[in-house]
């Protein structure tokens, strides 16, 4: 199915600014659909009639079109009415209902005007099959919808300052308030009354200045959004939030204007207290997790410092070497925890971690010319459990290549990472003395590598000779569904 932009471009006849105006209308017409209890269909001239380029269903009532109408041409019997609507620039209200299947539809046609010129027609279609009593709520909803439709015919709706979508953004069903030009309440829906009562505004709200009523109950010394008075007075189509004593309300204003003069406003309100409470809980948990990683990193760095101190005081070369290797392994794990302490996610950019791992591995280089390292490809983001084990594995492999593959001679070590969605394959290549016929050896480093790859990473590892000399170590890890696999 084509989207709005594709359909407008294909139909032609509208310039870029006119097309952008229709995008703004479609982006903000849910409020009109909900107030009118009606489907909205946007019809654009196509040279032979009109084509439906967008469709909106109400969340407050039954829909008229159960099937998608976008891309359809206007039936020939309705074409003349749309042409007359564009020519007159006035709203055309149907005298008789139009029957669709087993129920009647009341259709109003609204010309969409941009800079004084009608560029499209908005069809407002209400399902009369589900009759409603003319309650005070419905009368106010319809009155607000009529005001917005009149603004469309004058090119005053939508507003170019309409807020973008934000989590918790209110809709008509959440609560609606009508304001007069002075910001006094002329009507508040039951849901809106409930929201403001929870905030602390008690009693009847009709006739009260909303901005004054809210400012009277705001918690002392609390932070207040600077846009709050403007929204509560209905002076701009902005979105704001107010909080007092643990209750949070999101407020969105839509001014009602007539030839540039403000005649009142529609205010939508939603209680987002539970949403904000959960967000604060998540932020607290994230901060706690980061602090834990930070403390683990500090403790591991302390252990590494103690191992380094002990190695310096040892008179045995073998002991100093063993303690040095242990120190580097602990420091490698600390590097991962340091990275995790700086992010809210339990994933790390392993390319950044590996740069520091290489620096640690270079510390084992024997006196003489140090081999150079070359990194090809990208590791991407990996989970914390993978990052810790993988960093230790690669540190051991690179250290082994530096220490045993070159024996103090210059050379190059190549590390290549190949990431294919969930599969990560890493090659560590050197051109040193190479593996022997007996294999990679049975030292502690090799045992650590095998245990981590096969046990912790659930992966595979292999050592292969290179031509004319050297070794290639391949590590393969599957990164997806690890939680399920580990749970088993």
């Amino acid at each position: 199915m084509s989207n709005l932009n594709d359909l407008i471009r294909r139909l032609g006849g509208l310039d870029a600014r006119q097309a952008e105006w229709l995008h703004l209308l479609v982006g903000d017409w849910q409020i009109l659909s909900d107030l009118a209890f009606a489907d909205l269909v946007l019809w654009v001239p196509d040279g032979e009639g009109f084509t439906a380029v967008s469709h909106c269903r109400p969340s407050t009532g039954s829909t008229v079109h159960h099937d998608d109408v976008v891309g359809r041409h206007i039936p020939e019997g309705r074409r003349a009415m749309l042409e007359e609507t564009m020519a007159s620039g006035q709203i055309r209200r149907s005298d008789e209902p139009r029957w669709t299947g087993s129920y009647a539809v009341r259709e109003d046609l609204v010309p969409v005007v941009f800079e004084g010129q009608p560029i499209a027609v908005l069809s407002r279609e209400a399902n009369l099959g589900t009759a409603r009593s003319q309650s005070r709520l419905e009368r106010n909803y319809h009155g607000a919808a009529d005001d917005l439709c009149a603004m469309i015919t004058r090119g005053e709706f939508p507003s170019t300052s309409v807020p973008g979508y934000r989590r918790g953004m209110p809709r008509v069903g959440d609560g609606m308030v009508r304001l007069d030009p002075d910001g006094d309440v002329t009507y508040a829906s039951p849901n809106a009354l409930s929201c403001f009562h929870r905030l602390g505004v008690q009693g009847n709200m009709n006739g009260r200045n909303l901005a004054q009523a809210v400012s009277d109950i705001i918690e002392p010394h609390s932070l207040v959004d600077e846009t709050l008075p403007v929204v509560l007075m209905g002076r701009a189509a902005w979105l704001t939030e107010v909080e007092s004593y643990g209750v949070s309300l999101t407020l969105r204003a839509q001014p009602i204007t007539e030839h540039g003069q403000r005649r009142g406003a529609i205010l939508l309100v939603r209680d987002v207290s539970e949403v904000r409470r959960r967000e604060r809980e998540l932020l607290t948990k994230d901060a706690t997790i980061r602090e834990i990683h930070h403390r683990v990193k500090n403790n591991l760095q302390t252990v590494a410092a103690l191992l380094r101190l002990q190695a310096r005081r040892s008179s045995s070369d073998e002991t100093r070497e063993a303690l040095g290797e242990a120190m580097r392994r602990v420091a490698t794990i600390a590097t991962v925890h340091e990275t995790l302490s700086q992010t809210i996610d339990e994933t790390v950019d392993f390319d950044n971690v590996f740069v520091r791992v290489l620096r640690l591995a270079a510390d084992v280089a024997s006196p003489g010319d140090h081999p150079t390292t070359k990194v090809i490809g990208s590791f991407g983001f990996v989970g914390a459990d993978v990052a810790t084990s993988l960093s230790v594995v690669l540190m051991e492999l690179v250290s082994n290549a530096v220490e045993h593959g070159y024996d103090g001679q210059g050379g190059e070590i190549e590390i290549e990472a190949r990431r294919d969605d969930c599969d990560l394959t890493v090659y560590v290549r050197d051109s040193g003395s190479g593996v022997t016929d007996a294999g990679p050896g049975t030292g502690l480093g090799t045992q650590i590598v095998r245990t981590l790859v096969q046990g912790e990473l659930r992966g595979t590892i292999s050592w292969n000779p290179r031509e004319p000399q050297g070794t290639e170590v391949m590590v393969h890890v599957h990164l997806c569904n690890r939680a399920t696999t580990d749970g088993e």
Side-chain angles (χ1 to χ4, degrees):
M1 182 184 68
S2 301
N3 58 32
L4 175 61
N5 194 53
D6 292 337
L7 284 170
I8 292 177
R9 188 187 305 112
R10 191 183 71 193
L11 295 175
L14 298 178
D15 60 32
R17 296 175 64 245
Q18 292 171 334
E20 179 60 25
W21 185 255
L22 295 185
H23 276 284
L24 286 174
L25 175 62
V26 169
D28 198 34
W29 67 353
Q30 186 66 55
I31 181 176
L32 174 58
S33 177
D34 291 343
L35 288 170
F37 306 98
D39 285 51
L40 304 179
V41 181
L42 183 61
W43 299 94
V44 172
D46 58 10
E48 299 179 355
F50 294 83
T51 297
V53 297
S54 194
H55 175 212
C56 179
R57 294 182 175 89
S59 60
T60 53
S62 300
T63 184
V64 170
H65 300 284
H66 295 280
D67 297 327
D68 189 25
V69 299
V70 174
R72 293 185 184 178
H73 292 279
I74 191 75
E76 191 62 32
R78 298 171 57 200
R79 174 180 172 180
M81 294 185 296
L82 269 69
E83 291 176 342
E84 292 174 7
T85 300
M86 283 198 67
S88 66
Q90 301 295 320
I91 297 175
R92 179 188 176 98
R93 304 187 185 277
S94 57
D95 297 327
E96 298 291 336
R98 173 169 56 86
W99 285 89
T100 302
S102 59
Y103 56 87
V105 174
R106 184 184 67 245
E107 180 180 36
D108 297 335
L109 299 178
V110 181
V112 179
V113 176
F114 176 69
E115 295 183 347
Q117 176 185 355
I119 60 174
V121 175
L122 182 69
S123 174
R124 170 177 155 182
E125 305 176 34
N127 186 346
L128 300 181
T130 54
R132 291 177 176 271
S133 60
Q134 285 294 319
S135 64
R136 187 179 177 211
L137 179 144
E138 186 174 64
R139 289 195 300 272
N140 277 276
Y141 274 25
H142 277 300
D146 291 340
D147 289 340
L148 291 179
C149 287
M151 289 175 63
I152 292 175
T153 66
R154 295 190 294 268
E156 298 176 336
F157 183 85
S159 171
T160 54
S161 62
V162 63
Y165 177 79
R166 186 187 302 175
R167 186 179 181 188
M169 190 168 177
R171 300 179 71 170
V172 170
D174 297 318
M176 191 272 284
V177 178
R178 290 298 305 267
L179 302 175
D180 67 12
D182 297 323
D184 296 337
V185 177
T186 60
Y187 172 77
S189 71
N191 286 347
L193 285 173
S194 297
C195 288
F196 283 107
H197 287 170
R198 285 192 289 271
L199 188 68
V201 179
Q202 301 301 322
N204 185 16
M205 294 183 63
N206 284 350
R208 298 174 65 181
N209 184 274
L210 185 60
Q212 184 62 51
V214 172
S215 64
D216 288 342
I217 55 89
I218 291 180
E219 189 176 357
H221 310 297
S222 62
L223 296 176
V224 177
D225 194 319
E226 62 183 6
T227 62
L228 180 61
V230 178
V231 172
L232 289 175
M233 292 293 292
R235 295 184 181 277
W238 291 350
L239 184 72
T240 190
E241 192 163 312
V242 58
E243 181 177 0
S244 183
Y245 298 102
V247 177
S248 297
L249 301 183
T250 297
L251 307 166
R252 183 259 170 111
Q254 173 56 58
I256 301 298
T257 60
E258 184 176 350
H259 301 294
Q261 298 296 316
R262 191 167 54 86
R263 301 301 184 189
I266 301 167
L267 189 73
L268 304 185
V269 54
R270 179 183 178 186
D271 188 341
V272 293
S273 304
E274 183 64 20
V275 175
R276 298 297 177 255
R277 184 185 66 81
R278 292 181 179 179
E279 288 178 347
R280 284 192 290 268
E281 287 181 352
L282 289 175
L283 289 174
T284 302
K285 290 180 180 178
D286 289 337
T288 302
I289 292 172
R290 290 198 300 272
E291 179 62 21
I292 290 172
H293 283 303
H294 180 70
R295 294 187 181 188
V296 170
K297 181 264 296 184
N298 288 344
N299 291 337
L300 290 173
Q301 287 182 338
T302 300
V303 172
L306 291 173
L307 291 172
R308 185 184 298 109
L309 181 63
Q310 187 66 40
R312 288 175 179 175
R313 296 196 173 198
S314 176
S315 58
S316 169
D317 292 340
E318 184 178 353
T319 301
R320 283 198 300 269
E321 182 180 348
L323 290 174
E325 290 179 356
M327 179 271 296
R328 284 186 293 274
R329 289 162 186 153
V330 172
T332 299
I333 299 173
T335 298
V336 177
H337 282 281
E338 182 179 9
T339 304
L340 288 169
S341 70
Q342 300 170 358
T343 177
I344 63 175
D345 300 319
E346 281 295 291
T347 60
V348 297
D349 184 353
F350 197 79
D351 293 296
N352 292 334
V353 173
F354 187 60
V355 171
R356 306 177 68 177
V357 170
L358 277 179
R359 196 175 301 129
L360 287 169
D363 291 342
V364 305
S366 304
D369 294 332
H370 295 183
T372 60
T373 55
K374 177 182 179 182
V375 181
I376 303 173
S378 174
F379 294 88
F381 283 83
V382 300
D385 55 337
V386 174
T388 302
S389 300
L390 185 60
S391 60
V392 175
V393 166
L394 295 179
M395 197 275 288
E396 291 291 338
L397 293 176
V398 175
S399 299
N400 184 72
V402 172
E403 187 175 12
H404 302 293
Y406 292 98
D407 194 21
Q409 303 300 314
E412 182 180 75
I413 299 173
E414 181 181 279
I415 303 97
E416 180 181 0
R418 297 179 184 176
R419 181 72 180 267
D420 182 13
D421 196 14
C422 292
D423 290 305
L424 174 64
T425 305
V426 184
Y427 298 89
V428 180
R429 306 183 181 102
D430 66 66
S431 54
S433 56
V435 296
T436 65
D437 294 338
T442 57
L444 178 60
T446 302
Q447 293 179 27
I448 290 174
V449 168
R450 286 190 185 276
T451 300
L452 290 176
V453 172
Q454 297 173 357
E456 296 297 324
L457 298 176
R458 306 287 196 272
T460 59
I461 184 170
S462 62
W463 282 263
N464 301 291
R466 298 181 69 196
E467 294 295 338
Q469 67 175 19
T471 305
E472 178 183 81
V473 185
M474 183 189 74
V475 178
H476 178 266
V477 181
H478 188 70
L479 302 175
C480 295
N481 301 323
R482 291 186 55 80
T484 304
T485 303
D486 294 342
E488 296 174 351

